[in-house]
Amino acid sequence: MKDAGFRIRVQRELREQFLAACKSQDKPAAQVLREFMRDYVEGHPTRPLLDEQKDRK
């Protein structure tokens, strides 16, 4: 379920190259970005947010 979004600014040329690469793989750009985000988060674990909030009290 998608319930949040955000906007980023990138160079026009990078955007066009990214979209072309996605199209060549027959994947929507949003799907590729979500996959990257999941992989990045998995490879860079952090403490859960609730643990951080408990530690501040």
Side-chain angles (χ1 to χ4, degrees):
M1 171 193 222
K2 298 170 202 97
D3 59 0
F6 65 90
R7 298 176 81 168
I8 60 170
R9 297 187 62 79
V10 297
Q11 295 170 329
R12 186 177 308 272
E13 184 178 343
L14 175 60
R15 179 185 179 274
E16 296 305 320
Q17 290 174 343
F18 176 71
L19 292 174
C22 291
K23 185 174 183 177
S24 75
Q25 297 296 310
D26 210 22
K27 288 186 170 185
Q31 178 183 343
V32 174
L33 289 171
R34 284 191 298 270
E35 289 171 0
F36 169 78
M37 291 173 72
R38 286 185 196 104
D39 290 345
Y40 189 87
V41 168
E42 186 176 305
H44 299 83
T46 61
R47 293 182 352 184
L49 183 58
L50 293 176
D51 286 349
E52 290 178 20
Q53 290 172 347
K54 276 194 306 189
D55 290 345
R56 290 184 194 154
K57 292 181 180 181

